[in-house]
């Protein structure tokens, strides 16, 4: 049973999730709510927002990892911050149960208004070996691990004899041909090309990059002609694109593929690097509330960004971003709803904050969310890109400049923009940083070795090949 801990007893706007939408809602509301005698409380397991469009560049060494995140503590100074997970919401009783990340006892927190912005998580399937062998590209930690893992495999392989083990180390597989997947594989290939150029024991022809996509085309946000151009671009860079193909097994690092839709056996090979970008799903916290959800687990929402019940809007309950099924009043959204991207999340958050103030304090009027999608931009490595901006297609350098320009402006907070711009400037002047942090995932290894008596080290190392 949850226990009660002491936090502010002022009227509370509880923001569940500190991603794009949650950060902007809290930032917009914190001073206004305080001036009205209340408080904004944000609950999230991590103390920062991740700007996910930059994860491929983090993985490629073009952006310092900490520069692709926004600190809650630094930018939400008038917000009450709680490091934890909301495990249940009882809106009828206006309370949320919170489980601290430090493992402490769960506690109940009362609120006046609630804003559900917990975002999305990676969507996976019960594929043999995927859980043990795969890694996503949804968090900053994953991007760093992919970067260091790829660079480590390249360096290690360069000292191996030619053969199956070396081939496995130099094979990099990505499942999912959407924007996130194509940006990730192209940025990684670009970085790997630079890494190999600096290593005389390797050549680019020894690297193998493979994209597995179950559908018959990639990047559905692009026109068919643009998608075909990207396919040719991948082929020109020796990146294998396997369309109408699905991952059947990854057990032990042995990738087994099947043709779609008949599920007949396709290619089979081994890899040490398997990246999964085949979709997202709404945060499962939705299922632990008394709010209505749709068949995809998203919170049902009105155009005013209120949570929608069977009989109309649910009072004092709001939602935005990937976690919500927000109607797309422009008619351009898939299934009639806004697509889950940063462009919508940020704009929805700004309107949601204004609507909360209008509904609770009469500051203005509650308005509907309406935004014409401006299109999409994608980076394909240094000086390469593709874009579809309001129906106008760009390729190559102009698209890459549009990609960096848009995301540089969209990155929250001026100090973060400046840091990212500095990274890009340093990269232009001196090239990307390709040094892997070898023991980042095992930081105490060297200390443990130093603390082990020489005799025991010699015994433990007997019979082992030098590393």
């Amino acid at each position: 049973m949850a226990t009660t801990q002491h936090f502010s007893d002022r009227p509370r706007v509880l923001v569940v999730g500190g991603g794009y939408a949650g950060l902007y809602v809290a930032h917009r509301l914190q001073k206004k709510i305080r001036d009205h005698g209340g408080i904004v409380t944000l609950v999230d397991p991590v103390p920062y927002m991740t700007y996910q469009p930059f994860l491929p560049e983090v993985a490629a060494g073009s952006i310092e990892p900490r520069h692709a995140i926004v600190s809650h503590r630094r930018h939400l100074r008038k917000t009450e911050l709680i490091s934890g997970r909301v495990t249940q919401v009882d809106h009828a009783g206006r309370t949320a149960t919170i489980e601290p990340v430090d493992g402490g006892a769960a506690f109940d927190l009362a609120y006046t208004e609630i804003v559900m912005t917990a975002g999305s998580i990676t969507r996976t399937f019960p594929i043999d070996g995927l859980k043990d062998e795969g890694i996503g590209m949804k968090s900053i930690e994953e991007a760093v691990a992919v970067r260091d893992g790829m660079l480590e495999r390249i360096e290690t392989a360069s000292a191996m004899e030619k053969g199956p083990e070396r081939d496995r180390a130099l094979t990099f597989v990505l499942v999912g041909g959407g924007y996130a997947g194509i940006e990730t594989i192209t940025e990684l290939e670009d970085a790997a090309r630079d890494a190999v150029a600096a290593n005389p024991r390797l050549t680019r022809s020894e690297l193998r990059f493979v994209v597995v996509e179950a559908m018959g085309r990639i990047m559905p946000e692009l026109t068919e002609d643009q998608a075909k151009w990207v396919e040719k671009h991948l082929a020109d860079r020796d990146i294998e694109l396997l369309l109408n193909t699905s991952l059947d097994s990854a057990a032990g690092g042995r990738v087994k593929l099947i043709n779609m839709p008949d599920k007949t056996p396709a290619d089979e090979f081994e890899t040490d690097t398997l990246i999964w970008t085949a979709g997202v799903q709404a945060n499962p916290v939705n299922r632990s509330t008394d709010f209505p959800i749709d068949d995809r687990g998203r919170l049902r929402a009105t155009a005013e960004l209120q949570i929608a019940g069977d009989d109309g809007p649910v009072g004092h309950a709001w939602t935005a971003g990937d976690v919500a099924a927000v109607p797309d009043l422009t008619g351009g959204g898939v299934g009639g709803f806004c697509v889950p991207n940063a462009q919508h999340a940020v704009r929805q958050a700004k309107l949601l904050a204004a609507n909360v103030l209008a509904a609770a304090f009469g500051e203005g009027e509650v308005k509907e969310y309406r935004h014409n999608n401006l299109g999409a931009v994608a980076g394909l490595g240094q000086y390469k890109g593709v874009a579809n901006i309001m129906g106008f297609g760009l390729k190559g350098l102009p698209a890459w400049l549009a990609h960096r320009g848009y995301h540089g402006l969209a990155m929250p907070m001026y100090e973060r923009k400046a840091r990212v711009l500095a990274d890009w400037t340093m990269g232009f002047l001196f090239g990307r940083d390709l040094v892997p942090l070898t023991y980042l995932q095992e930081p105490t290894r060297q200390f443990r070795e130093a603390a082990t008596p020489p005799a025991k080290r010699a015994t433990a190392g007997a019979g082992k090949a030098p590393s």
Side-chain angles (χ1 to χ4, degrees):
M1 185 174 180
T3 59
T4 301
Q5 293 193 4
H6 177 71
F7 288 93
S8 173
D9 57 3
R10 288 180 283 170
R12 173 176 286 107
V13 175
L14 178 62
V15 180
V16 180
Y20 303 115
L23 173 78
Y24 272 99
V25 168
H27 191 258
R28 287 286 178 111
L29 286 180
Q30 57 182 355
K31 185 177 184 300
K32 291 278 189 178
I33 296 298
R34 186 194 64 174
D35 292 345
H36 283 285
I39 190 169
V40 174
T41 300
L42 184 143
V43 182
D44 197 283
V46 297
Y48 50 79
M49 182 221 84
T50 302
Y51 192 71
Q52 292 175 3
F54 281 156
L55 293 183
E57 290 197 57
V58 170
S62 297
I63 294 178
E64 155 64 30
R66 281 190 176 85
H67 298 171
I69 62 178
V70 179
S71 167
H72 292 157
R73 187 66 65 183
R74 178 167 187 165
H75 294 284
L76 300 177
R77 296 182 179 178
K78 299 177 180 66
T79 295
E80 183 179 56
L81 301 173
I82 300 176
S83 295
R85 292 179 174 85
V86 172
T87 58
Q88 189 167 355
V89 174
D90 173 18
H91 190 61
R94 298 290 195 278
T95 60
T97 301
I98 299 172
E99 186 178 281
V101 294
D102 64 4
F107 59 93
D108 291 334
L109 193 68
Y111 63 81
T112 306
E113 307 272 341
I114 189 169
V115 178
M116 298 291 294
T117 52
S120 59
I121 64 171
T122 301
R123 181 187 64 182
T124 61
F125 301 101
I127 297 172
D128 187 25
L130 178 60
K131 178 180 176 182
D132 296 324
E133 304 295 334
I135 186 171
M137 274 291 287
K138 199 81 169 65
S139 70
I140 198 73
E141 294 83 0
E142 288 174 323
V144 171
V146 166
R147 178 198 67 187
D148 290 342
M150 181 187 74
L151 294 174
E152 182 277 328
R153 287 289 79 198
I154 289 174
E155 188 64 31
T156 299
S158 72
M160 294 178 179
E161 295 291 335
K162 290 190 176 182
E165 189 176 357
R166 178 170 165 134
D167 292 342
R168 173 177 170 136
L170 296 176
T171 298
F172 305 93
V173 182
L174 182 140
V175 181
Y179 256 68
I182 299 303
E183 284 192 300
T184 296
I185 200 73
T186 50
E187 288 284 359
L188 290 177
E189 190 274 338
D190 225 30
R193 189 183 293 269
D194 288 348
V196 166
N199 190 324
R201 297 191 297 268
L202 288 173
T203 63
R204 169 61 183 89
S205 62
E206 295 180 86
L207 298 172
R208 185 183 184 189
F209 286 86
V210 182
V211 179
V212 178
E213 170 54 50
M215 305 300 288
R217 61 163 291 179
I218 58 173
M219 306 179 82
E221 298 89 347
L222 298 178
T223 66
E224 188 170 349
D225 286 345
Q226 284 181 307
K228 289 292 184 184
W229 179 86
V230 175
E231 290 178 22
K232 183 179 183 303
H233 178 80
L234 296 179
D236 290 343
R237 291 169 62 173
D238 293 325
I239 298 174
E240 300 174 41
L241 174 61
L242 306 179
L243 297 175
N244 297 309
T245 306
S246 184
L247 178 65
D248 187 52
S249 173
R254 185 160 191 83
V255 171
K256 295 182 180 180
L257 304 175
I258 54 175
N259 297 307
M260 298 298 287
D262 57 11
K263 298 186 178 180
T264 56
D267 202 359
E268 187 173 326
F269 52 87
E270 293 190 348
T271 181
D272 288 332
T273 306
L274 176 62
I275 306 169
W276 181 272
T277 63
V280 297
Q281 61 183 331
N283 194 304
V285 69
N286 290 352
R287 302 184 184 277
S288 299
T289 72
D290 50 0
F291 295 129
I293 59 176
D294 69 4
D295 57 358
R296 294 176 57 185
R298 299 174 300 183
L299 291 167
R300 290 162 51 187
T302 69
E304 293 82 6
L305 305 176
Q306 294 174 282
I307 294 177
D310 294 334
D311 301 320
V314 177
H316 310 285
W318 308 82
T319 189
D322 294 2
V323 80
V326 178
D328 188 342
L329 300 184
T330 68
V334 178
F337 299 102
C338 296
V339 297
N341 62 21
Q343 186 179 146
H344 280 304
V346 170
R347 287 171 170 80
Q348 288 171 9
K350 293 176 180 179
L351 177 64
L352 191 156
N355 282 353
V356 168
L357 293 173
F361 306 109
E363 295 189 9
E365 60 182 37
V366 175
K367 297 179 180 179
E368 295 180 333
Y369 176 74
R370 182 186 296 270
H371 173 68
N372 286 304
N373 197 329
L374 299 178
V377 291
L380 304 177
Q382 292 280 30
Y383 314 119
K384 301 175 282 288
V386 63
N388 183 7
I389 304 173
M390 294 184 290
F392 185 73
L394 295 174
K395 302 170 186 175
L397 180 61
W400 180 80
L401 291 172
H403 163 75
R404 285 210 160 174
Y406 174 80
H407 287 299
L409 291 172
M411 179 70 185
M413 311 306 167
Y414 289 112
E415 61 98 9
R416 292 288 110 176
K417 297 178 196 290
R419 293 177 191 272
V420 169
L421 181 59
D423 287 338
W424 287 340
T425 302
M426 296 296 286
F428 177 77
L429 294 174
F430 304 111
R432 69 175 93 236
D433 194 336
L434 294 174
V435 179
L437 301 178
T438 308
Y439 299 133
L440 185 64
Q441 308 305 316
E442 196 182 359
T444 62
R445 173 176 170 174
Q446 291 173 300
F447 180 80
R448 291 199 311 269
E449 290 176 349
T452 302
K456 289 188 177 181
R457 284 207 302 270
T459 301
K464 293 184 179 179
S467 58

